[in-house]
Amino acid sequence: MNETFVPLADIGRASTRAPVAMQRVPATGLLHDRLGRPLTDLRISVTDRCNFRCSYCMPKEVFDKDYRYLPHGALLSFEEITRLARLFAAHGVRKLRLTGGEPLLRKNLESLVEQLAALRAPDGQPLDLTLTTNASLLARKARALKDAGLQRVTVSLDSLDDAVFRRMNDVDFPVTEVLAGIDAARTAGLPVKINMVVKRGTNDQEILPMARHFRGTGAVLRFIEYMDVGATNGWRMHEVLPSAEVVARIGAEFPLRPLQASAPGETAQRWAYEDGAGEIGVISSVTQAFCGDCSRARLSTEGKLFLCLFASSGHDLRPLLRAPESSDDAILSTIGHIWQGRSDRYSELRALRAPDTSDPGAPRRVEMSYIGG
Ligand code: SAM
Ligand code: SF4
Ligand code: SF4
């Protein structure tokens, strides 16, 4: 099946596929890495391409017309992704997140969603299946994604001010279309979270307008500290606005109280509006590293397994997947060994260095658009 990229005209077309049979996986027992962290969460990058050029992720100067993206043959097929997801579930993964690049650029993504939604954990429960998107194509895709079995969606939105938003996506994309995507998702019955990356001096003036806009709507707004991911975004510590300041600014207008984490390994610290208008979250990857609870693995578009967002290399599972003689057991055992050898804790180590310094001997980190955010 050719499922590379979506001709815009095809987006939102109804599915004509036969229903996918439910697949329950055998349990292998929970895995733990060298720091005692379980493997519970798999982020799957379905494309390294994007139609935005957010400067903190895919700066235009680097991701220009000469940039070499992965060739079609390198991409894992939907069947390969689903097979791997099934094996990860056998090792304890309960949460799958589709990401990229911009995942909605991958053609027939709803077909992958349908296959993943048919997976069952050893206890018979479906896996938690979600997607992170810039929402540029969500208005046209939300219904098909929901019908295919997607459970939730996270939309990245850095500003409500159209001029600021256009500048940040750097392709002049209007904010109204993202808001229409959010509306379409909610109308389709998909719960929505909103992720705002905060860059001091770029969009921090948008924190309060965003809070005012989304409180009371049921959509959970989460503020992410600007991170030094990849090697191209020119990250500087002075552009990081600590989450504590986000909470203080919002709390000064709308009193907040802290909430318990809803699940172990949750990246966001949660705060409730005292007046009952919902909650916000802050993801403090820079100022309060949470490596100690990090139970996430990342699968790149071409099938490399990364153990940390800041890794410089991954473990290539594709040759194993494509070798005719490779059994599920062989792949399970490889994944098990890789996870059991994991000791990554980049953000904790970064916090021990002086701000704005890098580890001199460190190899170049992979880009977030490739590894999956
Ligand atoms: N294109 C999709 C999107 O933007 O939602 C999915 C991929 S994107 C890499 C995933 C998430 O990473 C987005 O919420 C984005 O804002 C976040 N992100 C990218 N670069 C970042 C950075 N330097 N610091 C913090 N978050 C970043
Ligand atoms: Fe694209 Fe998402 Fe990266 Fe922005 S953050 S450039 S939308 S992949
Ligand atoms: Fe996990 Fe790596 Fe981020 Fe630490 S730095 S929380 S290990 S992805």
Side-chain angles (χ1 to χ4, degrees):
M1 185 200 305
N2 173 9
E3 80 251 328
T4 316
F5 296 105
V6 197
L8 288 185
D10 284 356
I11 291 168
R13 248 188 214 166
S15 162
T16 52
R17 294 176 306 277
V20 177
M22 199 170 88
Q23 294 187 50
R24 192 182 286 223
V25 291
T28 63
L30 285 184
L31 278 181
H32 286 86
D33 71 8
R34 282 165 59 190
L35 302 178
R37 299 169 295 187
L39 170 58
T40 61
D41 185 328
L42 181 66
R43 301 192 174 193
I44 303 170
S45 173
V46 293
T47 175
D48 59 339
R49 295 169 193 249
C50 187
N51 53 344
F52 282 13
R53 287 292 176 273
C54 309
S55 63
Y56 52 69
C57 178
M58 296 181 78
K60 221 175 198 167
E61 306 69 43
V62 177
F63 294 86
D64 59 11
K65 61 178 179 22
D66 298 323
Y67 188 83
R68 292 166 70 117
Y69 296 96
L70 294 170
H72 175 50
L75 273 51
L76 293 191
S77 69
F78 290 167
E79 288 68 27
E80 288 170 330
I81 292 173
T82 306
R83 182 181 181 200
L84 278 179
R86 178 169 57 79
L87 299 176
F88 274 93
H91 269 319
V93 162
R94 293 292 170 269
K95 187 167 166 186
L96 302 175
R97 177 177 296 278
L98 300 177
T99 178
E102 174 44 46
L104 297 185
L105 290 182
R106 182 90 183 244
K107 191 173 165 188
N108 291 333
L109 190 74
E110 53 277 27
S111 163
L112 174 62
V113 168
E114 195 173 10
Q115 291 177 46
L116 295 174
L119 296 177
R120 290 291 177 274
D123 62 3
Q125 292 301 309
L127 306 179
D128 186 27
L129 180 56
T130 176
L131 166 90
T132 304
T133 174
N134 64 24
S136 54
L137 302 172
L138 191 57
R140 283 172 276 174
K141 296 285 275 182
R143 169 59 60 191
L145 289 166
K146 168 73 179 166
D147 290 349
L150 191 72
Q151 291 164 10
R152 291 180 290 112
V153 68
T154 299
V155 170
S156 302
L157 173 62
D158 297 332
S159 172
L160 288 170
D161 180 292
D162 194 51
V164 175
F165 184 67
R166 285 177 193 253
R167 217 166 29 245
M168 288 188 78
N169 64 55
D170 218 5
V171 292
D172 211 25
F173 196 86
V175 74
T176 45
E177 291 198 31
V178 174
L179 295 173
I182 293 171
D183 284 348
R186 302 185 71 198
T187 305
L190 288 167
V192 177
K193 286 183 181 162
I194 313 289
N195 275 358
M196 171 180 177
V197 175
V198 181
K199 264 182 102 173
R200 192 197 289 277
T202 300
N203 66 336
D204 60 305
Q205 73 286 4
E206 283 292 292
I207 292 171
L208 275 167
M210 288 278 287
R212 289 181 198 123
H213 183 86
F214 287 108
R215 49 179 253 113
T217 65
V220 177
L221 174 59
R222 303 186 316 167
F223 299 89
I224 306 180
E225 287 178 350
Y226 170 40
M227 288 186 284
D228 50 335
V229 282
T232 59
N233 66 8
W235 181 88
R236 286 288 173 269
M237 185 67 194
H238 70 263
E239 289 185 296
V240 177
L241 188 96
S243 294
E245 201 173 322
V246 173
V247 172
R249 285 194 200 181
I250 296 175
E253 182 165 328
F254 305 110
L256 293 167
R257 68 182 158 79
L259 289 174
Q260 292 290 333
S262 52
E266 189 175 47
T267 50
Q269 294 161 308
R270 301 165 60 213
W271 294 81
Y273 290 112
E274 290 276 22
D275 64 3
E279 68 177 80
I280 60 160
V282 289
I283 301 180
S284 320
S285 355
V286 178
T287 61
Q288 275 182 279
F290 39 77
C291 301
D293 286 331
C294 181
S295 52
R296 288 175 295 285
R298 292 180 159 82
L299 183 64
S300 78
T301 316
E302 55 179 344
K304 288 191 179 152
L305 177 60
F306 287 85
L307 303 178
C308 176
L309 185 52
F310 297 89
S312 50
S313 63
H315 302 262
D316 197 355
L317 300 178
R318 197 180 59 195
L320 197 56
L321 263 181
R322 293 194 176 167
E325 69 282 5
S326 282
S327 63
D328 283 357
D329 281 348
I331 300 174
L332 272 172
S333 151
T334 300
I335 295 170
H337 279 111
I338 294 171
W339 189 261
Q340 283 168 332
R342 176 188 191 239
S343 58
D344 303 63
R345 53 187 197 105
Y346 175 90
S347 294
E348 282 184 355
L349 298 176
R350 181 221 297 109
L352 302 175
R353 293 197 307 264
D356 274 350
T357 57
S358 52
D359 177 353
R364 187 182 168 95
R365 294 188 291 267
V366 293
E367 294 301 319
M368 196 166 180
S369 52
Y370 163 76
I371 195 178

